[in-house]
Amino acid sequence: MLEGLLSAVYGMSVSALIISMLLVLVLSAILHLTLKPTVKQVVGIILTVCVLLLLSYVTMLGRSEPETGLLLIPGNSIAKAFVSDIYLKMVLMNIFVFVPYGAFMTLVFSRYGVKATVLVTLLSGLVITVLIEVLQYVLGLGCAETDDVICNLAGAAIGLVPYFATYKAVKKRLSR
């Protein structure tokens, strides 16, 4: 079942990837606006755990014949994305996989304020993506790239957008 999902995701067009990212962001905004803080936190924990399990599968186990190695030149893949559809899709996939993480982490930590939410979401996103890259390299499960870390962190940051977009409305509703 997960293999089919993985194939479907990797087979998506660039426009379908972007639409999927937008749907996750809209879902997060709806959850921020409609759920009470305690329920929001529980839902956020459940969704974040699901995302982390899926991330682990996709990045560690979901490759048939992984390319292995170490690429530490920042911007290499990102620059190639401007001239190659394959690299563009790869960069977008690396961003896409962390958008839900950033979006759902904000559900978990939004009750602790803006600074704490942003700090925890981005720092934990950085730690997780570096850990994934190190494990891929050490275990020979993939190519560890600096650009993957940059793109994953960008995805987590994009996931913060619904939190900021709904912050004032949620704060106003809670103060009533």
Side-chain angles (χ1 to χ4, degrees):
M1 180 178 144
L2 284 176
E3 289 84 15
L5 175 64
L6 191 61
S7 296
V9 170
Y10 278 111
M12 293 171 83
S13 67
V14 170
S15 58
L17 284 173
I18 292 169
I19 290 168
S20 297
M21 278 191 267
L22 292 173
L23 289 174
V24 166
L25 295 173
V26 168
L27 172 64
S28 178
I30 290 168
L31 294 174
H32 273 289
L33 288 170
T34 59
L35 298 179
K36 293 181 179 178
T38 305
V39 175
K40 185 189 310 185
Q41 192 171 32
V42 171
V43 169
I45 290 168
I46 293 167
L47 290 172
T48 301
V49 168
C50 290
V51 165
L52 288 173
L53 290 172
L54 192 57
L55 276 173
S56 298
Y57 178 77
V58 168
T59 58
M60 301 301 217
L61 305 172
R63 300 165 183 225
S64 55
E65 294 181 28
E67 178 184 327
T68 59
L70 187 62
L71 297 171
L72 299 177
I73 303 168
N76 188 39
S77 296
I78 296 168
K80 290 178 182 177
F82 289 101
V83 294
S84 166
D85 287 343
I86 293 170
Y87 277 93
L88 175 62
K89 192 169 184 179
M90 187 175 69
V91 165
L92 287 176
M93 284 297 294
N94 277 311
I95 294 170
F96 173 70
V97 297
F98 266 80
V99 168
Y101 176 80
F104 299 145
M105 280 292 285
T106 62
L107 295 171
V108 177
F109 290 96
S110 62
R111 67 182 348 178
Y112 302 109
V114 175
K115 288 180 184 176
T117 301
V118 171
L119 190 65
V120 169
T121 300
L122 294 180
L123 282 178
S124 63
L126 178 63
V127 168
I128 290 167
T129 192
V130 168
L131 180 64
I132 288 169
E133 294 303 314
V134 168
L135 287 172
Q136 282 180 339
Y137 179 71
V138 170
L139 300 175
L141 297 173
C143 188
E145 290 189 55
T146 307
D147 284 359
D148 289 356
V149 174
I150 294 167
C151 291
N152 292 163
L153 196 56
I158 290 169
L160 292 168
V161 169
Y163 172 66
F164 286 115
T166 61
Y167 179 76
K168 285 185 180 179
V170 171
K171 189 175 178 182
K172 186 177 180 181
R173 184 182 65 150
L174 292 175
S175 65
R176 289 184 199 171

